[in-house]
Amino acid sequence: MDIKNALADRVTPLKASAIREIFKLLGKPGIISFAGGIPSPELFPTEIWANLLKEIVDTEGSKVFVYGVTEGYAPLAKIVDGINAENSVGKDFDRTIITTGAQQAIDLLIKSMVNEGEGVICEDPSFIGSLNAIRSYRANLFGVEMDEEGICTDKVEEILKKENIKIIYTIPTFQNPTGITQSIERRKKLLELAEKYDCYILEDNPYGDLRFRGEPVPTIKSMDTNGRVIYVGSFSKTLAPGVRVGWITGHEAIIDRVIVCKQVNDVHTPLINQMLVEQFITRYDYKAHIQKGCELYGHKCALMLECMDKYFPENVSYTRPEGGIFLWCTVPEGIDTQPIFKECIDAGVAFVPGSTCMVDIEAPSNCFRLNYSTMPDDKIEQGIKIIGDVLKKYVK
């Protein structure tokens, strides 16, 4: 029996997330991991949630275990409306629903909007979860390089002139994997291009609250007057990723279709998860909780950069984020970071090779991603020194 014949053509080219595969290598005792993409577990409000969960179940009883409405738990939806309003997100034509994490929001949006063979422009590199969602619906991916101001909009327009593009996907604030924040000028230009070439923008903003230096930049959605921008948010990076609660805001005609697709997908986001998030934000100081995270990540990012300045070869460059949880390293052209990754794993340190995050996942990459949110200070210095020692073998 040929099992390959049992699989749909649209999924056979997909590769498992290399980041998830890296996690399988991390069972080695004492390994220092800069490969993750989660907030620091020391910030998880574990004890508070344990008490809240018991209280919710004691108070609501079996109600918390029944079906909920697809659009989301109403008290939480009201809180999200308030969070959106603080970012000037949401017009009269918009509608917001709760999703099972931002990943589901992105998948449902692509499913609802993009036909097979239509094009999606994205930053190159970009978030592997979104890239695979786009690939799974057999859309054509067009990666566009970035500079210190974000996606290069002149390159975006070159593609728009030639290709049938439905969506421009962007993570404009503290981008995953680079940590770069798109300038206000580039954001305005992207919206202008979407209007000019009759396509849409999917603005993914899971890290926007995690600013530890610099001034905030308005969301693209805040400038949207015609429903061109669909906005995705998440509690994964401010509270905890395992709760799986996010949201999507967009023109009601689009969100109506997303709702139908969500009904097919999971019926609704688990009610008890939504109640837990709503109760925490209602009864505790959510902004103070976020600020605590910003202070911690600002410290860890500065420490990692200080160690990289000390231990890395001079001709290795790297981004200097103003927020978020990632930074991006580039070694000289012609050096593939996969062998460096393997040697670092053997030495007890993990990171994410750049090829994982690229549109062409098969091509060698001279880049890699580091996460600074989870390791203690002494492990940050120890791990960066190990990577620096390995880099010196490859980078002359």
Side-chain angles (χ1 to χ4, degrees), residues 122-136:
C122 66
E123 293 138 347
D124 200 17
S126 188
F127 170 48
I128 180 63
S130 297
L131 296 181
N132 266 349
I134 295 164
R135 292 179 182 120
S136 71

Side-chain angles (χ1 to χ4, degrees), residues 19 23 26 33-38 325-326 350 352 369-374:
I19 297 172
F23 286 166
L26 303 186
S33 176
F34 302 133
I38 66 170
I325 59 176
F326 302 116
V352 174
R369 188 190 80 177
L370 294 174
N371 164 265
Y372 45 79
S373 63
T374 60

Side-chain angles (χ1 to χ4, degrees), residues 279-316:
Q279 282 291 295
F280 179 84
I281 296 175
T282 298
R283 296 170 58 176
Y284 295 88
D285 194 335
Y286 180 54
K287 289 186 178 180
H289 176 81
I290 292 173
Q291 183 57 35
K292 185 178 178 182
C294 292
E295 291 169 2
L296 179 65
Y297 302 147
H299 163 75
K300 287 181 179 292
C301 181
L303 174 62
M304 181 172 279
L305 288 169
E306 180 184 330
C307 294
M308 292 163 73
D309 291 342
K310 181 178 180 180
Y311 296 118
F312 279 17
E314 289 185 2
N315 53 350
V316 174

Side-chain angles (χ1 to χ4, degrees), residues 98-105 243-247 262 266 268-270:
I98 306 299
T99 59
T100 307
Q103 179 67 53
Q104 185 192 54
V243 177
R244 309 310 302 135
V245 178
W247 70 91
K262 182 170 169 58
D266 69 349
H268 67 96
T269 298

Side-chain angles (χ1 to χ4, degrees), residues 224-272:
D224 177 26
T225 57
N226 296 314
R228 289 282 173 190
V229 183
I230 303 97
Y231 180 88
V232 170
S234 175
F235 293 107
S236 289
K237 302 303 184 286
T238 56
L239 288 176
V243 177
R244 309 310 302 135
V245 178
W247 70 91
I248 183 168
T249 301
H251 194 288
E252 59 183 354
I254 294 172
I255 299 302
D256 281 348
R257 294 297 89 195
V258 171
I259 291 169
V260 174
C261 289
K262 182 170 169 58
Q263 288 169 349
V264 173
N265 189 290
D266 69 349
V267 183
H268 67 96
T269 298
L271 189 56
I272 195 165

